[in-house]
Amino acid sequence: MRSRLLAGAAAVALPLLFTLAGGVGRAVAAPADRALLPLDQYTSEKGRELGRKYAEELRALASGIYHCIPWLEVQEHSLGFYRPKHLGGGDSRYLSMRVFIEQEASPDFARLTVANQAAAMYARYVAALLKRMARSPALTADPGVEGFTIILEWLKQSVRAASDRPIHETVAVFIDKASALDFLAGRIAPRAFADRADIRLWDGETSLENLRLTRLAEDDFVSTYKMKNYQLDPSVTCP
Amino acid sequence: MRRDRLHALAIVTTALLTAACASSEEWTTWKEHPSHFASGEHLAFSLRNRSGAPARVTREDIALARSQGWWGKPITVSTEQILEK
């Protein structure tokens, strides 16, 4: 109910906000600049070098998502060559990205278990984002890039007091580069890809058990959904 | 006694089957009606100009609306728990 109320309130307030803001909206910082992990924040020269070498590819990736999948928000400084913590020693660098998914409050979605919600988000976004992340042949051929991390989060739909902070549910998908490229080339099926991936799940700050996908829905939402009234920047072409 | 046990077993079995079916139905609903999870409409819909025609919402408008911190600071796992820079 709270989510519905918030969504309803947003429906009323946001258009007003747009109207009042007028041209101020043009002052929002360029998305790519905010999305990229700054070079001085890398903790190893390997990571920093990858960040420097593929800065343009990362900017193009961030910009493409920003304009073409406008209901997704690449989180600030989340796009870069991070090292997955669970891999332990060494300096394995994965091209990583953390994305917030804006979506309508939905009773149908809320009725799914947290694991099935995560599976639904996985089915909807992981392949679509991985395809974009692996678009550069030079990047995917670079031996310094060992895999991909996609972190998806969305607003948990739950009844809460107005004073309560919102809670996000989060799923993180780690996949080694060879498996990712096999999947994108159609050499392995989605089921095999999911089996090879390390998929982790959080409810707020609480880690849940590693997610084993028992069902894999086919979902072409990202390529078919058109947001109502959305005006694409004329200088942008979406695939 | 034996009849009571059978009765209890029947109740538990029925409950488990019902739960399983509900889960399956919910999943099917999600698969068959993906538009129920349409995203971002609340950031763009119902914005109309004086002539009554739908107004156009740019990506900058959406970014600006989000930048206002509408939902407040969320409780979520930190990136530092998952990844190292």
Side-chain angles (χ1 to χ4, degrees):
Chain A
M1 177 62 80
R2 171 63 56 187
S3 296
R4 277 180 173 276
L5 288 174
L6 285 172
V12 172
L14 289 176
L16 179 63
L17 181 65
F18 295 148
T19 306
L20 293 175
V24 179
R26 303 293 181 269
V28 172
D33 294 336
R34 285 184 289 108
L36 265 63
L37 178 65
L39 293 178
D40 62 2
Q41 291 191 23
Y42 281 98
T43 58
S44 78
E45 190 51 43
K46 180 182 178 182
R48 191 168 13 259
E49 183 53 33
L50 288 169
R52 185 181 293 116
K53 191 173 179 182
Y54 297 110
E56 282 312 305
E57 283 84 348
L58 299 193
R59 284 198 182 89
L61 171 62
S63 182
I65 293 170
Y66 179 85
H67 288 289
C68 300
I69 320 178
W71 60 94
L72 299 189
E73 190 78 20
V74 180
Q75 301 290 281
E76 186 175 29
H77 299 173
S78 77
L79 178 55
F81 297 92
Y82 283 84
R83 190 171 77 83
K85 268 195 150 177
H86 69 277
L87 292 182
D91 192 17
S92 298
R93 292 286 163 172
Y94 278 36
L95 175 56
S96 306
M97 182 167 61
R98 181 168 182 159
V99 172
F100 175 72
I101 300 162
E102 191 92 48
Q103 74 166 10
E104 305 296 313
S106 162
D108 291 335
F109 187 78
R111 272 194 291 271
L112 295 174
T113 63
V114 174
N116 278 344
Q117 289 180 355
M121 290 300 195
Y122 172 98
R124 177 156 292 183
Y125 293 107
V126 168
L129 293 178
L130 183 64
K131 192 175 177 183
R132 287 175 175 273
M133 293 169 82
R135 190 166 284 165
S136 163
L139 189 153
T140 54
D142 194 317
V145 181
E146 297 182 38
F148 299 88
T149 305
I150 299 173
I151 303 172
L152 307 172
E153 65 182 309
W154 58 93
L155 184 68
K156 180 185 176 102
Q157 293 186 32
S158 58
V159 177
R160 56 190 175 85
S163 57
D164 289 347
R165 288 166 61 194
I167 298 171
H168 286 187
E169 291 169 340
T170 306
V171 63
V173 180
F174 307 89
I175 188 75
D176 66 272
K177 187 168 72 176
S179 297
L181 298 182
D182 280 348
F183 171 66
L184 292 173
R187 291 189 291 269
I188 62 170
R191 173 79 271 164
F193 175 81
D195 288 343
R196 290 188 194 180
D198 186 322
I199 308 173
R200 297 168 186 239
L201 183 59
W202 288 264
D203 182 351
E205 295 172 323
T206 305
S207 175
L208 305 177
E209 63 187 51
N210 288 4
L211 182 63
R212 298 292 301 172
L213 296 179
T214 54
R215 300 183 178 94
L216 270 177
E218 291 180 14
D219 196 323
D220 60 356
F221 181 82
V222 172
S223 60
T224 57
Y225 177 66
K226 303 295 178 197
M227 203 166 104
K228 195 174 176 184
N229 292 344
Y230 177 61
Q231 181 174 11
L232 182 66
D233 187 314
S235 67
V236 175
T237 302
C238 293
Chain B
M1 178 68 88
R2 182 179 167 81
R3 175 176 274 185
D4 287 347
R5 281 185 181 174
L6 284 172
H7 188 64
L9 181 63
I11 290 173
V12 169
T13 304
T14 304
L16 288 173
L17 286 172
T18 304
C21 289
S23 175
S24 179
E25 278 177 20
E26 289 156 8
W27 185 258
T28 303
T29 299
W30 186 88
K31 280 177 66 179
E32 292 179 353
H33 302 283
S35 62
H36 286 186
F37 304 93
S39 301
E41 291 287 349
H42 60 289
L43 292 171
F45 84 102
S46 80
L47 186 61
R48 291 177 179 278
N49 62 23
R50 288 178 187 171
S51 67
R56 311 303 290 178
V57 177
T58 67
R59 189 59 178 81
E60 287 80 6
D61 292 330
I62 296 170
L64 177 67
R66 284 182 179 143
S67 73
Q68 306 301 311
W70 181 262
W71 304 102
K73 184 175 171 56
I75 297 170
T76 186
V77 61
S78 70
T79 298
E80 288 71 27
Q81 286 179 256
I82 308 172
L83 300 169
E84 289 179 357
K85 294 176 179 173

